[in-house]
Amino acid sequence: MVLSFAPHVEVLAVEERGLVALGEQWCDVYSGSMFAKLARLIDGSRGEPEILDACENREREAAAAAISELRRSGVLAEVRDGDVAEDTAAWWSSQFV
């Protein structure tokens, strides 16, 4: 399983300051350089272990906590390797199905 941003969410990295997650009717801001780094690392090609390995040792705990927060918020989705989210998946994802 790899991590990807949920199909119903548009994610924008804000330099080294954080990331913005945009849904159809909402917008969430996640402040901090770790969120900005995750915005670049989460691309649908790596699982959580690979993402954490891409972080420095001192960053791993913060990265794991940030990933957990994004999961709880519904911004992240776990997908099987090779699965590509289609446009219709966005609607189902927005319904948390």
Side-chain angles (χ1 to χ4, degrees):
M1 298 291 267
V2 296
L3 284 180
S4 178
F5 289 106
H8 71 283
V9 179
E10 180 73 28
V11 174
L12 307 166
V14 182
E15 297 175 358
E16 292 300 318
R17 293 187 241 162
L19 72 81
V20 176
L22 301 168
E24 188 173 328
Q25 299 179 8
W26 55 271
C27 174
D28 286 332
V29 176
Y30 299 89
S31 297
S33 60
M34 181 51 61
F35 287 106
K37 184 172 191 163
L38 290 176
R40 292 187 305 272
L41 291 173
I42 298 171
D43 60 3
S45 70
R46 301 170 221 189
E48 186 170 351
E50 292 86 13
I51 292 168
L52 295 176
D53 285 345
C55 297
E56 295 179 27
N57 283 338
R58 63 183 171 79
E59 297 177 316
R60 288 187 181 155
E61 189 174 328
I67 288 170
S68 189
E69 184 175 345
L70 293 171
R71 271 194 178 116
R72 277 192 308 275
S73 300
V75 173
L76 282 183
E78 284 188 318
V79 296
R80 288 181 298 225
D81 290 330
D83 278 0
V84 177
E86 298 178 19
D87 291 340
T88 55
W91 185 85
W92 289 105
S93 172
S94 72
Q95 304 302 308
F96 299 101
V97 175

